[in-house]
Amino acid sequence: MFRTARELLEVGANAAAPRPGRIRDRVIGRLRSGRTLAGLAATGWMLVSFPLAEGRAEFVLGKLVDLVAGFGILCLAGLVAVTVFICASRPPLRRVYLRRLRAPGETLRALLIGSVMTWGGGTLLAELLGGEIVPWSRIHSHGILATVAASVPLVVLVLPMCLVLVVMGAFTVLSCVWYSLDSCFRLGDVHELLPALVSPVLVWALFVLSCLDGPDVAAPALVLYPFLLGGPLSVTALSAWEIRRLNRRYGMTFTSALGRAPQPEPQPGGAPQPEWEPQP
């Protein structure tokens, strides 16, 4: 468990320090954030410019279902990718990557605790206000003093505690979901190449789900299909560029990450070695 509420909020808000030695390229981070903001702006423009194919309640419910589905796909894809990555690596690196799984585990734990806090605080608040826990009708029958005596602890202690639980839990859940969908559950703390490997799987799976569910807005085909394909194609292109940048700028490849890069052959023992002479 987290020792303090501040630690929980730090993990949820991505304020937790990354692992020592992790490469954090500012250009890659800015392009990821720009891609996410551009997708949100395009989605907002579509919702404002064209009418909804269904009602608002169905649209909100569908988006929540898509969010849960994307979260599950991300969990599954990340688990499979990390398992294959660790199993394919050499034994010395395998132990290193297993120790680095702490960062994704902290994010999952913060998300689970935030969900429990939101659900528990919201349920308790609804039952208290609805009179399912405290029998207000019986208390009212005993007079004003009994009503005041029962209401003061509720207003001073219980209701603020429920509100704090709901606010903290909702903030933690939203921040974890936002960061998880953008960084793939901090898989970059395991290795910098893993987020670029998992992100295209998530967006293409969501694209298939959106095609199966039907369009959300009644837009022309010339506008709708480029909008639907824009997200997966842009994420795939950005992931390929990210892998290439990590390779050229920092020398990262999948063979070196797995510890399977070819080693130079040793020189024969009897072969004369060229002598190095300092230049004047």
Side-chain angles (χ1 to χ4, degrees):
M1 297 293 292
F2 294 96
R3 292 186 293 271
T4 60
R6 180 180 179 182
E7 184 180 354
L8 174 65
L9 293 177
E10 284 180 352
V11 174
N14 188 23
R19 63 171 172 84
R22 178 186 172 183
I23 296 175
R24 299 178 67 90
D25 195 300
R26 294 183 178 179
V27 177
I28 294 176
R30 290 173 182 174
L31 286 179
R32 284 180 183 174
S33 301
R35 177 200 65 196
T36 305
L37 293 177
L40 292 176
T43 303
W45 176 77
M46 289 285 290
L47 294 177
V48 172
S49 302
F50 302 98
L52 295 176
E54 298 179 351
R56 295 182 179 179
E58 290 80 3
F59 172 76
V60 174
L61 182 60
K63 288 304 177 184
L64 291 176
V65 172
D66 292 342
L67 182 62
V68 174
F71 185 77
I73 293 170
L74 182 57
C75 290
L76 181 60
L79 179 61
V80 172
V82 169
T83 302
V84 173
F85 185 81
I86 293 178
C87 292
S89 60
R90 296 288 187 182
L93 290 176
R94 194 176 301 168
R95 291 189 293 268
V96 175
Y97 294 147
L98 286 174
R99 289 195 298 267
R100 291 179 181 177
L101 288 176
R102 179 181 178 181
E106 287 180 352
T107 305
L108 284 173
R109 186 174 56 170
L111 181 61
L112 178 61
I113 293 176
S115 301
V116 173
M117 289 171 59
T118 306
W119 176 80
T123 303
L124 182 60
L125 183 62
E127 291 182 354
L128 284 174
L129 296 179
E132 299 181 8
I133 296 179
V134 180
W136 293 108
S137 58
R138 296 181 181 179
I139 295 176
H140 290 326
S141 62
H142 292 285
I144 299 178
L145 293 179
T147 304
V148 172
S151 301
V152 169
L154 178 66
V155 174
V156 175
L157 297 176
V158 181
L159 290 181
M161 182 186 67
C162 294
L163 292 176
V164 168
L165 287 176
V166 171
V167 172
M168 287 183 58
F171 172 77
T172 305
V173 169
L174 292 176
S175 57
C176 283
V177 169
W178 172 270
Y179 183 55
S180 297
L181 294 177
D182 189 57
S183 67
C184 299
F185 285 111
R186 295 180 65 181
L187 291 180
D189 280 4
V190 180
H191 196 275
E192 287 80 357
L193 291 172
L194 283 177
L197 185 65
V198 178
S199 297
V201 179
L202 171 65
V203 293
W204 282 108
L206 293 177
F207 170 75
V208 173
L209 289 178
S210 63
C211 291
L212 294 176
D213 293 339
D216 295 326
V217 295
L222 293 177
V223 177
L224 180 62
Y225 290 106
F227 169 76
L228 293 177
L229 285 171
L233 292 178
S234 61
V235 171
T236 304
L238 183 58
S239 297
W241 174 85
E242 181 179 345
I243 293 174
R244 185 177 181 182
R245 179 177 175 84
L246 291 175
N247 183 10
R248 291 193 171 186
R249 191 175 181 85
Y250 305 103
M252 290 185 178
T253 60
F254 285 104
T255 54
S256 63
L258 299 176
R260 300 179 180 275
Q263 300 295 330
E265 297 182 359
Q267 295 288 339
Q273 299 293 333
E275 296 183 357
W276 178 80
E277 296 180 0
Q279 297 293 331

